[in-house]
Amino acid sequence: MTREPHSPQRAPATLATIVGVAAATVAMAGLLCTAAGCRKSAADNPWAGIAGPTREKARRLYQARCESCHGKSGAGDGPEAHKSNPRPRSFHVEGWQKSVTDAEIEKSIIGGGAAIGKSVVMPPNPDLAVKPELVEAMRAYVRHLADGKP
């Protein structure tokens, strides 16, 4: 078997060429991509739309009430997770993120797991029922954690 030399008209693809073409394709499609996947734009990240004090309150509330089970990055691997059966939800699971509605997430934040037919181990937060802006921010944070970054 003889190998033919590369034609001067068809140079072999280099990694830089391949990466450049891939980046151009992503840019043309209008996608924002991370290691966790791609979104149409930064506007598809509801956490980006939560401002100042509410954003900080939601982040701190997650740390205080949710992180021990769901984990810092939302992977369901907090220090108390091993005590739960079933294990806490990982927010990184793309199929779950696509299947659950914003209303279901908000309902579970206020009413706990039992409010949406899930584990009674997840406690309710009835004090948040009168704080819809904070509940919305918490839901946005749960969506944000899909990327695995707190």
Side-chain angles (χ1 to χ4, degrees):
M1 178 163 126
T2 44
R3 294 182 62 144
E4 300 207 356
H6 291 291
S7 161
Q9 289 109 352
R10 286 192 82 183
T14 65
L15 182 57
T17 303
I18 294 167
V19 170
V21 169
T25 303
V26 168
M28 287 188 315
L31 298 174
L32 172 67
C33 297
T34 66
C38 297
R39 292 192 253 261
K40 286 280 186 193
S41 69
D44 288 341
N45 180 354
W47 184 239
I50 305 297
T54 303
R55 184 181 176 103
E56 186 57 24
K57 283 180 190 174
R59 192 184 59 74
R60 277 193 260 150
L61 191 60
Y62 177 87
Q63 287 175 331
R65 298 187 188 185
C66 311
E67 193 173 292
S68 63
C69 293
H70 289 286
K72 185 174 184 155
S73 74
D77 61 352
E80 300 295 316
H82 69 283
K83 295 179 182 178
S84 296
N85 188 10
R87 298 288 292 242
R89 162 70 55 207
S90 169
F91 304 134
H92 300 187
V93 178
E94 185 179 351
W96 176 79
Q97 284 281 355
K98 288 180 177 179
S99 71
V100 69
T101 66
D102 289 350
E104 289 172 313
I105 293 173
E106 291 176 9
K107 188 173 181 178
S108 70
I109 290 168
I110 295 169
I116 59 166
K118 301 295 180 183
S119 176
V120 297
V121 175
M122 181 180 162
N125 297 282
D127 59 309
L128 298 180
V130 295
K131 300 176 182 176
E133 186 177 278
L134 187 54
V135 172
E136 179 183 323
M138 292 289 295
R139 185 248 315 138
Y141 193 63
V142 165
R143 295 287 194 198
H144 163 76
L145 288 174
D147 291 337
K149 296 179 182 177

